[in-house]
């Protein structure tokens, strides 16, 4: 079975400060990892993915994520948060031989001005 | 439009009634997925279609749920004899290739409320 854990229901950060949204996973074989964002009253949008190669992946809107195989983690980061980054963030994983992404329960990011 | 289109955007129904939710994927996308988003529960996989292959129905929660995809394009998710626990946002997504390397494009969802 494959699973994703997002341990924080909500993350609060001040505008201009760095942000981290945590994600850990469990899969068989090599993982393919994704981050999606859901703005209020909008559909989910793809942010970034890790398939292979560099452990640090850069994505849309200045976000990046670091794949750590030993810790089975794929934390989402941004050096300087914006108020407009406030949204619901989902981590997702798929393992070898599986056919559909498994999503985490989501983390609500609140950036305060 | 160019994106994934879902209808209806909102549906309120009475317990025991049947509902149909429609998804129009991005033109040319061979893969289509249905997920369910319940409050505080993240996204729950329901069913996956890829081209002409048999669908992966492993996520359907009960035999009251079914889905079809006609002509490799539009998909309909049907829930029979709805229950209150079926209340959720039903999300459709499509992708152009293998889901494990490509990104999914999501619709805005159909919010189902069962009274």
């Amino acid at each position: 079975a494959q699973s994703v854990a997002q341990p924080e229901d909500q993350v609060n950060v001040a505008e201009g400060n760095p942000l981290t949204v945590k994600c850990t996973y469990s899969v068989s074989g090599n993982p393919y990892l994704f981050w999606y964002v859901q703005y209020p009253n909008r559909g989910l949008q793809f942010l970034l993915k890790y398939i292979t190669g560099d452990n640090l992946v850069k994505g849309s809107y200045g976000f990046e994520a670091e794949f750590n195989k030993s810790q089975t983690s794929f934390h989402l980061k941004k050096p300087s948060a914006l108020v407009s980054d406030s949204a619901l963030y989902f981590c997702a994983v798929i393992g070898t031989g599986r056919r559909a992404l498994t999503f985490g329960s989501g983390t609500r990011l609140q950036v305060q001005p | 439009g160019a994106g994934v289109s879902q209808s209806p955007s909102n549906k309120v129904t009475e317990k025991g009634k049947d509902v149909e939710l429609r998804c129009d994927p991005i033109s040319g996308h061979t893969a289509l997925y249905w997920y369910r988003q319940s409050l505080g529960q993240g996204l729950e996989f329901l069913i996956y279609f890829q081209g002409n292959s048999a669908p992966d129905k492993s996520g359907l929660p009960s035999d009251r749920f079914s889905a079809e995809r006609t002509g490799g394009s539009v998909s309909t998710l049907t829930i029979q004899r709805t229950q209150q626990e079926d209340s959720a946002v039903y999300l459709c997504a499509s992708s152009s290739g293998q889901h494990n390397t490509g990104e999914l494009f999501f619709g805005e969802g159909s919010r189902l409320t069962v009274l």
Side-chain angles (χ1 to χ4, degrees):
Chain A
Q2 58 190 30
S3 64
V4 176
Q6 293 183 243
E8 302 151 317
D9 290 337
Q10 181 154 327
V11 169
N12 297 307
V13 64
E15 188 173 32
N17 283 0
L19 68 87
T20 299
V21 182
K22 295 179 181 177
C23 170
T24 58
Y25 66 89
S26 174
V27 292
S28 299
N30 294 322
Y32 297 150
L33 293 153
F34 302 79
W35 276 100
Y36 283 80
V37 59
Q38 187 175 36
Y39 297 102
N41 301 316
R42 301 285 300 276
L44 272 79
Q45 297 176 32
F46 169 82
L47 263 186
L48 53 78
K49 66 182 179 185
Y50 170 82
I51 303 297
T52 186
D54 242 344
N55 288 345
L56 185 64
V57 177
K58 295 188 183 295
S60 308
Y61 312 120
F63 284 92
E64 57 190 28
E66 186 166 13
F67 169 61
N68 187 316
K69 187 172 183 177
S70 63
Q71 297 185 4
T72 61
S73 68
F74 190 58
H75 301 331
L76 181 69
K77 300 181 179 184
K78 187 173 182 181
S80 179
L82 300 173
V83 172
S84 57
D85 293 330
S86 298
L88 189 57
Y89 290 82
F90 290 94
C91 182
V93 67
I94 187 163
T96 304
R98 299 304 295 265
R99 301 180 70 186
L101 271 69
T102 295
F103 285 82
S105 56
T107 299
R108 186 164 300 281
L109 173 66
Q110 193 69 40
V111 181
Q112 287 118 4
Chain B
V4 176
S5 177
Q6 291 188 246
S7 62
S9 54
N10 276 288
K11 176 72 176 180
V12 179
T13 191
E14 293 179 346
K15 178 181 172 181
K17 301 282 190 183
D18 297 352
V19 296
E20 284 189 352
L21 308 176
R22 176 190 166 106
C23 173
D24 209 332
I26 292 172
S27 178
H29 279 190
T30 57
L32 186 147
Y33 312 77
W34 284 97
Y35 282 86
R36 179 167 69 175
Q37 184 176 17
S38 303
L39 190 62
Q41 302 234 356
L43 273 71
E44 176 188 5
F45 166 71
L46 297 177
I47 189 169
Y48 161 60
F49 297 89
Q50 174 63 275
N52 295 322
S53 302
D56 179 347
K57 304 179 182 180
S58 60
L60 295 178
S62 78
D63 58 8
R64 296 187 295 105
F65 287 73
S66 63
E68 61 179 24
R69 188 178 185 192
T70 53
S73 181
V74 171
S75 177
T76 302
L77 177 68
T78 301
I79 309 172
Q80 296 179 309
R81 305 181 302 282
T82 52
Q83 303 294 312
Q84 288 182 334
E85 59 263 29
D86 299 335
S87 296
V89 177
Y90 289 82
L91 296 171
C92 177
S94 69
S95 71
S96 60
Q98 291 297 318
H99 54 282
N100 55 4
T101 56
E103 65 186 87
L104 303 187
F105 293 83
F106 281 84
E108 296 195 359
S110 292
R111 181 178 297 278
L112 174 65
T113 303
V114 182
L115 302 177

